[in-house]
Amino acid sequence: MKIMNTKIYKGFLGFLGVFGGLGLTSCSDFLEIEPQNEIILEKFWNEKADVDAIIAGCYSGMQSENVIKRMMVWGEFRSDNIGPGSNVSSDGNLEKILKENIDAKNSYTDWKDFYSVINRCNTVIKYAPGVAANDPAYTESELQANIAEMVALRSLSYFYLIRAFRDVPFSRVAYTDDDQTMDLPATKFNDVLDSLIYDLESVQNYAVKRYPITKELYQTGRITQDAIHALLCELYLWKKDYENCIRYADMVIDSKKAIYEENRQKRTNSSLSNDEDMVRFNGFPLVSNSTSANYYGDAYTILFGRDRNYTDQVNQEIIFQLVFSDSPEGEGMMANGAVNSFYGNSNASVGLVAPSDYIYSQIEATGPERKVFADKNKKLDSRIYTNCLYRGSGGDKAINKYTTSTVDISISTGTPEASYGSKYSQNQNGSNWIIYRLTDIMLLKAEALAQMVREGESSENNEYNRSLLDRAFTLVNAVNKRSLCQNQLNDTLRRSDYTTKGDMETLVLQERQRELMFEGKRWFDLVRLSQRNGNTQTLASAALQKATTGAGLIGNHLAKMDAIYWPYNLDEMKVNLNLVQNPAFSSGEDESYQKTTKK
């Protein structure tokens, strides 16, 4: 993102008003500057309102359709969860990804929008201290909180990049001058990871702990200490520092327990979770499904819907999300265009992608053939119905999560039956894109606990390992129990079935697939497992579940560790000669991976 020395963000004004729906300062106070498509640097960074405006632009950049689409594509679409949907051939680049036919020309390898967010964050970090020195209304605590917020958004952006591409150009410098060197070589994955951890550790205590209840959308729509702790939890898991992963997970869990306790004390109606839920969910403050006779679905509606009567419960589980609107013109906010296109809308019930044939076959399967959802026979896992638009055999094959705000599940006939609210209208998808929620962190902690199991048989090791596996199972079981369509909860998971590190590792991976399906997590989970094990066996096996043709070629390709990451975009390679292409992919000059392998 090139910015002239005497001006900042050419053509950037269009971003600044979008986040106004969250109460951030609008750009009306500097729209009178001439010319209107350029903001003179020396005349801009003068007061707190100027800082707020650019922070708004940072969030708007994260909300942009191109960024959300890449969060989805990079984090999920190469996995066993996703298959082609309706009219996917209209997006040839996406169609190739679903066939594991990726090269450097593919448009989804373009990372410029993430680097745009990174540069905006770096610019705030560079110039905000000068504003604080000139504007008495901009306090030191506000400055430090803003810097922590920008460091976190920058770190989150880099975290997406390294999980997708492994090694990427890394810089904390704000590029505001065309004369600055921008064609940086890629920094190694582990070095970037260490830098992100260092940066977040340095600023975490300055971040806002919790926004006031009067700023409803800020509470989960802006970075807080909980969001930074959640990010650190996952960063440490990728670093294989399991003790610190657990430490930060516990910080998040304890914070959410405190919010639950506040909600309990001010409870004024029965729709809020009651104390029995803490027992049902092993002491974790999860949003509850209704336990009234034969009716389930509240948790989905609260977490993924837009009914603001449930704000207290949303804050009880959501940690950080990107906020959208189903009436973008009226509220002055963005609609979620990425979900509208990829997952479907009222005009196109099936989007460009859909649940893979493998996932849909698992919904229909019974007995031992049913491997994804834990309950083998009765289909009582509500996530069958909340993840997918499921009306029985022969029904629509579509993704439900994020495309509708309500799901009601009845078991009055003994077999669950789901009814769905209307899909969001075209270009009016109001579903917030969740980056972190409590169940995600609980399962990351469970994964870390499983990895701490010691090798070797001894009474000391056996006791230590039993404790770790007990704690991991308690976390997974709590998440699983919340999904069950039962009044009297009978666990579908049994601790006695998971007695080894490998057993628990597999259980956690399966539960993350069930719980976080279509939330942009699955491929990254498989990549992390491959990094840890030093091989791609589980990842390749999962990806091949959806292969209908070319399975042998795909299997051979994904056997390479390099192949689980993405190639650098061809245009980026042309302008940055310091980048060395991922050897698992073609340069982009040839049509496809298939073509280059035949040479």
Side-chain angles (χ1 to χ4, degrees):
M1 184 178 183
K2 292 188 176 181
I3 306 167
M4 296 300 292
N5 188 35
T6 58
K7 63 191 78 120
I8 183 168
Y9 301 144
K10 217 173 189 182
F12 179 55
L13 293 177
F15 283 104
L16 296 180
V18 178
F19 212 63
L22 295 192
L24 287 179
T25 305
S26 72
C27 54
S28 59
D29 57 337
F30 55 80
L31 280 176
E32 301 306 316
I33 296 176
E34 296 291 345
Q36 289 194 5
N37 69 334
E38 298 178 359
I39 303 175
I40 306 305
L41 188 63
E42 290 79 2
K43 294 182 179 180
F44 179 66
W45 292 99
N46 292 315
E47 58 185 8
K48 181 180 183 298
D50 299 335
V51 178
D52 288 342
I54 302 302
I55 289 174
C58 295
Y59 280 98
S60 296
M62 291 294 285
Q63 291 170 293
S64 70
E65 186 169 335
N66 282 340
V67 167
I68 301 296
K69 279 187 171 180
R70 280 154 184 77
M71 288 180 177
M72 299 166 80
V73 171
W74 296 348
E76 188 100 21
F77 285 14
R78 293 173 71 182
S79 79
D80 46 346
N81 286 349
I82 297 288
S86 175
N87 202 30
V88 69
S89 59
S90 66
D91 187 338
N93 288 303
L94 180 61
E95 189 175 33
K96 287 182 178 180
I97 289 168
L98 298 178
K99 295 177 179 178
E100 197 57 39
N101 179 14
I102 306 166
D103 65 23
K105 288 190 299 184
N106 194 294
S107 63
Y108 291 103
T109 63
D110 184 348
W111 61 25
K112 67 177 180 293
D113 292 285
F114 277 89
Y115 275 105
S116 176
V117 172
I118 288 166
N119 197 48
R120 292 171 192 171
C121 293
N122 283 338
T123 304
V124 174
I125 294 167
K126 177 178 180 178
Y127 289 107
V131 176
N134 293 326
D135 183 359
Y138 191 24
T139 66
E140 181 66 20
S141 62
E142 289 174 317
L143 168 66
Q144 294 301 328
N146 286 160
I147 289 176
E149 195 172 9
M150 294 299 93
V151 168
L153 282 181
R154 181 182 70 189
S155 299
L156 180 64
S157 298
Y158 273 125
F159 191 33
Y160 272 100
L161 289 168
I162 63 172
R163 285 180 293 177
F165 295 93
R166 186 171 51 189
D167 305 336
V168 301
F170 177 78
S171 176
R172 301 183 181 94
V173 174
Y175 288 92
T176 58
D177 191 326
D178 278 346
D179 294 330
Q180 290 175 264
T181 300
M182 301 180 70
D183 53 343
L184 301 175
T187 300
K188 293 295 184 183
F189 177 98
N190 286 330
D191 292 338
V192 177
L193 188 66
D194 287 342
S195 295
L196 302 184
I197 290 172
Y198 174 83
D199 289 347
L200 291 169
E201 292 273 17
S202 300
V203 302
Q204 59 172 311
N205 293 331
Y206 298 109
V208 171
K209 290 185 178 180
R210 200 186 304 174
Y211 282 97
I213 58 173
T214 55
K215 297 190 180 230
E216 178 184 307
L217 298 181
Y218 277 34
Q219 294 175 55
T220 58
R222 289 187 69 171
I223 293 291
T224 61
Q225 281 190 9
D226 282 351
I228 292 177
H229 293 159
L231 182 52
L232 279 166
C233 167
E234 188 169 15
L235 288 168
Y236 273 119
L237 184 62
W238 283 77
K239 185 178 170 60
K240 305 176 190 175
D241 184 341
Y242 303 120
E243 290 184 353
N244 273 315
C245 169
I246 292 167
R247 180 165 68 91
Y248 280 106
D250 285 340
M251 290 183 187
V252 175
I253 292 168
D254 288 345
S255 176
K256 292 304 185 183
K257 285 181 177 179
I259 293 174
Y260 168 85
E261 182 60 25
E262 292 171 12
N263 290 343
R264 188 188 68 81
Q265 291 182 9
K266 68 181 182 182
R267 184 180 300 119
T268 58
N269 62 71
S270 60
S271 68
L272 286 174
S273 301
N274 57 45
D275 295 335
E276 293 179 2
D277 292 333
M278 287 287 277
V279 177
R280 286 161 55 89
F281 305 144
N282 301 344
F284 297 100
L286 301 181
V287 169
S288 177
N289 276 318
S290 173
T291 55
S292 61
N294 303 325
Y295 166 79
Y296 305 89
D298 291 353
Y300 176 90
T301 301
I302 292 168
L303 296 174
F304 296 94
R306 286 188 54 81
D307 188 339
R308 291 178 182 171
N309 291 323
Y310 297 115
T311 299
D312 285 343
Q313 290 163 283
V314 168
N315 297 341
Q316 189 176 306
E317 185 159 336
I318 301 294
I319 299 164
F320 178 56
Q321 60 187 348
L322 298 171
V323 178
F324 294 93
S325 172
D326 55 4
S327 55
E329 293 182 1
E331 294 186 346
M333 295 165 61
M334 295 181 183
N336 195 332
V339 168
N340 174 84
S341 172
F342 281 160
Y343 289 177
N345 54 69
S346 60
N347 288 359
S349 179
V350 181
L352 293 176
V353 299
S356 68
D357 288 341
Y358 168 68
I359 291 297
Y360 221 71
S361 71
Q362 288 296 294
I363 295 173
E364 295 289 351
T366 58
E369 296 303 314
R370 190 141 172 258
K371 299 172 183 176
V372 174
F373 295 96
D375 177 24
K376 306 292 186 188
N377 299 304
K378 297 183 179 179
K379 301 184 181 178
L380 294 178
D381 191 324
S382 65
R383 294 169 298 190
I384 293 172
Y385 311 95
T386 56
N387 288 330
C388 303
L389 183 63
Y390 179 77
R391 294 192 173 98
S393 300
D396 293 331
K397 178 185 173 183
I399 292 171
N400 174 73
K401 187 177 280 186
Y402 289 123
T403 66
T404 182
S405 61
T406 62
V407 181
D408 296 331
I409 303 170
S410 169
I411 59 167
S412 58
T413 62
T415 299
E417 296 179 358
S419 58
Y420 300 89
S422 299
K423 287 209 168 193
Y424 286 110
S425 299
Q426 189 170 17
N427 302 321
Q428 292 185 321
N429 186 296
S431 56
N432 299 333
W433 185 255
I434 299 172
I435 304 295
Y436 285 116
R437 57 191 179 99
L438 182 57
T439 52
D440 186 0
I441 300 304
M442 290 168 61
L443 293 173
L444 292 178
K445 178 182 176 181
E447 183 175 332
L449 287 165
Q451 295 310 308
M452 292 177 68
V453 168
R454 297 171 180 167
E455 295 182 358
E457 288 287 335
S458 70
S459 58
E460 181 181 353
N461 277 359
N462 290 342
E463 186 61 32
Y464 176 79
N465 292 343
R466 186 180 304 109
S467 174
L468 291 173
L469 295 175
D470 284 346
R471 292 163 63 195
F473 181 81
T474 297
L475 288 155
V476 176
N477 194 35
V479 176
N480 187 267
K481 284 199 291 188
R482 196 261 296 276
S483 74
L484 301 181
C485 299
Q486 296 177 336
N487 284 328
Q488 300 296 322
L489 287 182
N490 297 308
D491 295 354
T492 60
L493 303 178
R494 296 180 302 181
R495 170 66 176 88
S496 58
D497 291 337
Y498 307 98
T499 59
T500 68
K501 174 182 176 180
D503 292 339
M504 193 60 66
E505 183 178 65
T506 299
L507 173 63
V508 173
L509 187 65
Q510 290 173 338
E511 192 65 27
R512 286 185 61 81
Q513 182 178 21
R514 293 186 280 266
E515 176 69 11
L516 304 171
M517 190 172 285
F518 310 135
E519 296 183 40
K521 305 281 185 177
R522 174 65 172 169
W523 185 257
F524 289 153
D525 284 349
L526 293 168
V527 170
R528 183 173 64 254
L529 179 64
S530 296
Q531 280 190 354
R532 188 163 60 228
N533 293 344
N535 66 71
T536 67
Q537 183 176 343
T538 301
L539 177 146
S541 177
L544 286 171
Q545 293 285 1
K546 66 177 184 180
T548 55
T549 59
L553 185 63
I554 293 172
N556 289 336
H557 178 52
L558 289 176
K560 310 167 189 173
M561 285 292 292
D562 292 331
I564 68 179
Y565 305 99
W566 293 73
Y568 299 133
N569 186 269
L570 179 61
D571 289 339
E572 194 66 36
M573 296 289 296
K574 289 178 179 178
V575 298
N576 186 350
L577 300 181
N578 287 310
L579 288 179
V580 178
Q581 185 59 276
N582 184 333
F585 295 93
S586 78
S587 66
E589 300 296 343
D590 300 311
E591 273 190 7
S592 66
Y593 172 77
Q594 283 94 323
K595 182 175 180 180
T596 59
T597 56
K598 292 177 182 178
K599 287 185 176 182

